Amino acid sequence: MGEKESGDASEDQRERILRSAALVMAERGFDAARMRDVARGAGVSIGLLQHYFDTRDLLFRAAFDWSIDDLIARWRKGSSAEPDAWRRFGLLVRELADDPDLQRRCATWIEFCASAARRPELRDGVRRAHEDWRELVLGIVESGVAAGTFTPAVPADVAVRSVLAAVDGCDLAVASGSGMGAEDYAAVILATARSVLGVRD
């Protein structure tokens, strides 16, 4: 029992470190992020950081992968067992928009994309996130087309990519401090999806 608790505590501590590293990357960028800022944010020593991660690059690459996995888990949570495709898509959008720290999440994603443009070793993570996101939305679209809820005027894959481009654009608008809030974020994505998917009320 004590060993399990110790393992759980160790895993919690590692996740706290990775969350702190993701925040530091969002604020400073991958190349300028420092281990001492991560340690301060996680409430641990530099020595403990090095116990988990031998080098700075290993730490920030692990934080990058952890953030991608966290993002994908949020998307999957938003795509519930709701049988109606349009309502299911709406729940997915609300899961994204209602993030209590929407600006930080959007900034993290935009920074990850920018970092991947400069660092080839990060590109697989961004590709994986885009592919998982595309497959999730495509599944909703295909079920909506089969049910007659959606009548897209373009191929389903093109419609999905249009919706994903709207999400990335809204993420950029929120991250840049343009003034877009959660309600506008959701409204723009839903309006774009309604238009390209030919949603039938």
Side-chain angles (χ1 to χ4, degrees):
M1 183 76 170
E3 186 177 329
K4 183 179 187 311
E5 286 173 359
S6 174
D8 289 346
S10 177
E11 190 55 37
D12 287 347
Q13 192 168 63
R14 186 176 188 278
E15 183 168 325
R16 195 166 70 248
I17 288 167
L18 292 173
R19 188 180 301 276
S20 175
L23 284 169
V24 170
M25 275 193 290
E27 291 168 3
R28 293 180 173 271
F30 190 98
D31 295 321
R34 300 177 304 181
M35 290 184 79
R36 79 180 70 151
D37 297 320
V38 175
R40 187 180 306 116
V44 300
S45 67
I46 293 282
L48 188 61
L49 276 189
Q50 292 170 331
H51 167 74
Y52 287 103
F53 305 99
D54 291 336
T55 67
R56 174 198 172 282
D57 268 15
L58 283 175
L59 166 62
F60 287 110
R61 286 184 65 178
F64 184 92
D65 289 339
W66 174 85
S67 294
I68 295 294
D69 290 340
D70 184 59
L71 201 57
I72 291 167
R74 285 170 184 258
W75 294 337
R76 294 198 184 287
K77 179 183 174 188
S79 180
S80 68
E82 165 62 53
D84 179 82
W86 179 241
R87 285 199 291 269
R88 189 155 77 250
F89 182 77
L91 289 171
L92 176 59
V93 172
R94 288 309 330 175
E95 179 65 28
L96 296 177
D98 291 344
D99 189 313
D101 201 352
L102 179 63
Q103 198 278 336
R104 181 206 58 79
R105 178 183 63 73
C106 291
T108 301
W109 174 242
I110 296 303
E111 176 53 39
F112 282 178
C113 290
S115 295
R118 298 186 301 267
R119 301 178 70 102
E121 70 271 20
L122 301 178
R123 290 175 192 165
D124 282 347
V126 170
R127 284 193 200 101
R128 179 165 58 90
H130 270 293
E131 188 56 27
D132 277 19
W133 181 218
R134 189 191 70 80
E135 286 182 9
L136 184 59
V137 177
L138 183 60
I140 294 173
V141 171
E142 287 175 340
S143 69
V145 169
T149 307
F150 301 158
T151 55
V154 295
D157 194 56
V158 174
V160 168
R161 290 185 188 282
S162 300
V163 172
L164 301 191
V167 174
D168 279 342
C170 287
D171 280 1
L172 182 59
V174 171
S176 65
S178 69
M180 177 178 276
E183 290 310 311
D184 288 339
Y185 180 97
V188 168
I189 295 170
L190 290 171
T192 301
R194 179 179 287 277
S195 175
V196 301
L197 296 176
V199 176
R200 299 175 62 184
D201 292 320

